[in-house]
Amino acid sequence: MRRGAATIAVLFLMTACGSSNPNNTGNQQNKPPTADMKPHASIGAGEGQLNLVLWDGYAATDWVKPFEAATKCKVNQHPAGSSDEMVSLMKDGGGGQWDMVSASGDADLRLIYGGDVKPMNMGLIPDWQNFQEYFKAPPYNTISGIHYGVSLQWGPNTLLYNTRKFANKPTSWSVIYDAANKGLITVPDNPIQIADAALYLSKTQPTLGIKDPYELTQKQFDATVNLLKQQKPLIKKYWTSYTEEITLFQNGDVTVGAAWPYQTITLKASHAPVDDTIPTEGATGWADSWLLATRAPHPNCAYLWAKWVSTPHVQAQQALGFGETPVNSKACAEMEALSPGSCHQYHADETGAAYFDTIKFWKTPLPDCGNGQKNCVPYAQWVAAWTTIKG
């Protein structure tokens, strides 16, 4: 499962505010514990192996074998089932065991403020210059100009719907909160789903004053949780993997829900009557980065890996292999060569304002509200609330 269901609440609460420092508040105004560590100035000879905590499929044979042959760095993988599992595994800077983690935006700040990852030198990643501008220094992996990760792939959380049920394309997320669709709705089983509801409320209830769906005061948070509790009786199933959602739509068990482009493309390939859209309220999105463990035992192999997976060809391979959008602007041509039409399917050619700017990318909810105040609801409370929402 990728970005899947919550594990037990205890694990979440232990990891929510940083793993190696239990007193860490996650306050963005504080300097991360590793901020003063100097990143590598050069890449030396590989140490012979590389230990990765990653989403399953992020180190596929197609690009791992050539990497191993070129660098003599043997890749050892530990697939994780959730962002929270990644945070737990990376405790104490990777424990002297793990070198890198392919974390999503809902985990990055926990890892950074927990002191579990350290600054990286983008000058050692030649293709970083070819990244789409946003992904050169996104707020979830770059703080005060210090890079703690190399951006990798991204995707929007779209509204997927059955075209027979909805003759006209839905224009609002309101359909997943509408009692008329009771028992036909599915959304991800993930605490970060609270941000989707907050984004919806930011447009439909402007008096709440929600500016950022990941920075919620208690009043804003309570209103969002209340909306999701009202939605609960309408939900057919909270999905934990993209294959589960695909099956739900194929079997006709659901007709509308939150999804990724991969589900839409797969369902259309099987001739299912579906389409997707980003409603007028916008959408959340996920974006992944490779972060370097503070105590990485094989840092040279880690940098060699970061270079490798940033190249246009490997970016295209991963995008097509997993159903994501590459951050390297030169990957589109490679995608087209491998699978004509795929660049547009995954919106890799739509990083301009009309599409890209509608997406609010995941980031860890912290007490700091981005304005010097510390009255926002932190991630640990999101996890606890999600448990109560699902009942």
Side-chain angles (χ1 to χ4, degrees):
M1 295 186 300
R2 184 176 189 280
R3 303 177 180 87
T7 55
I8 58 173
V10 171
L11 173 61
F12 277 139
L13 292 170
M14 287 172 62
T15 61
C17 293
S19 52
S20 63
N21 178 4
N23 297 315
N24 177 34
T25 64
N27 179 6
Q28 293 189 69
Q29 298 302 309
N30 293 335
K31 183 187 293 186
T34 61
D36 292 330
M37 293 183 68
K38 297 297 183 185
H40 283 64
S42 61
I43 304 176
E47 299 89 353
Q49 62 179 320
L50 175 66
N51 300 330
L52 303 175
V53 173
L54 74 174
W55 296 118
D56 195 13
Y58 267 31
T61 301
D62 286 350
W63 59 92
V64 168
K65 289 301 182 184
F67 169 78
E68 291 178 327
T71 65
K72 310 306 179 188
C73 297
K74 176 178 171 53
V75 176
N76 303 306
Q77 305 182 39
H78 185 104
S82 69
S83 291
D84 302 272
E85 183 181 352
M86 288 184 174
V87 172
S88 181
L89 287 168
M90 292 298 289
K91 183 179 180 179
D92 190 25
Q97 177 180 6
W98 305 112
D99 293 298
M100 302 195 87
V101 58
S102 66
S104 297
D106 59 333
D108 290 346
L109 295 182
R110 284 184 279 163
L111 292 165
I112 292 168
Y113 283 103
D116 297 321
V117 295
K118 60 184 177 181
M120 295 188 69
N121 183 355
M122 295 301 105
L124 301 180
I125 314 296
D127 270 289
W128 178 78
Q129 295 293 339
N130 300 322
F131 285 7
Q132 294 146 3
E133 200 60 34
Y134 176 83
F135 295 108
K136 288 182 178 179
Y140 48 83
N141 71 23
T142 304
I143 299 172
S144 300
I146 299 175
H147 302 276
Y148 294 87
V150 183
S151 297
L152 182 64
Q153 304 269 337
W154 64 275
N157 295 312
T158 60
L159 179 64
L160 177 63
Y161 62 95
N162 183 304
T163 54
R164 292 175 183 165
K165 167 72 173 179
F166 297 92
N168 297 315
K169 179 186 294 188
T171 59
S172 171
W173 285 105
S174 62
V175 292
I176 66 171
Y177 304 107
D178 189 342
N181 299 315
K182 182 177 182 179
L184 299 172
I185 300 168
T186 185
V187 298
D189 186 354
N190 192 335
I192 208 69
Q193 185 67 21
I194 293 172
D196 289 61
L199 180 62
Y200 172 69
L201 289 178
S202 73
K203 306 297 183 180
T204 57
Q205 295 187 28
T207 55
L208 286 171
I210 297 174
K211 303 299 182 184
D212 185 321
Y214 308 99
E215 296 176 355
L216 303 176
T217 64
Q218 192 65 55
K219 178 180 177 181
Q220 295 166 343
F221 185 77
D222 290 344
T224 304
V225 169
N226 184 56
L227 173 64
L228 290 168
K229 286 182 176 180
Q230 293 175 41
Q231 182 195 46
K232 170 62 169 64
L234 312 180
I235 298 292
K236 173 69 174 182
K237 187 172 181 60
Y238 293 97
W239 60 267
T240 58
S241 70
Y242 58 85
T243 55
E244 185 175 23
E245 184 175 33
I246 288 170
T247 299
L248 287 168
F249 272 89
Q250 285 176 329
N251 293 343
D253 294 325
V254 299
T255 58
V256 66
W260 311 325
Y262 181 83
Q263 284 91 305
T264 305
I265 293 169
T266 302
L267 285 164
K268 284 186 173 182
S270 68
H271 306 291
V274 301
D275 203 353
D276 67 18
T277 186
I278 289 188
T280 56
E281 298 92 2
T284 62
W286 47 265
D288 295 341
S289 309
W290 281 108
L291 285 72
L292 180 62
T294 305
R295 297 175 57 198
H298 313 106
N300 292 316
C301 281
Y303 266 98
L304 290 169
W305 175 256
K307 283 179 60 178
W308 186 266
V309 296
S310 297
T311 58
H313 186 67
V314 177
Q315 286 258 309
Q317 286 180 302
Q318 179 165 334
L320 295 175
F322 205 89
E324 303 173 306
T325 306
V327 300
N328 191 321
S329 61
K330 293 188 175 182
C332 237
E334 296 280 349
M335 292 176 71
E336 290 300 297
L338 293 169
S339 178
S342 61
C343 179
H344 184 67
Q345 278 186 315
Y346 288 109
H347 309 286
D349 60 347
E350 293 186 83
T351 55
Y355 185 89
F356 186 73
D357 288 355
T358 63
I359 302 169
K360 300 290 187 183
F361 286 101
W362 287 356
K363 63 181 180 182
T364 306
L366 301 175
D368 190 292
C369 290
N371 57 4
Q373 298 185 43
K374 302 174 185 178
N375 60 339
C376 278
V377 178
Y379 182 68
Q381 292 183 38
W382 286 49
V383 175
W386 186 249
T387 301
T388 63
I389 288 165
K390 292 194 304 174

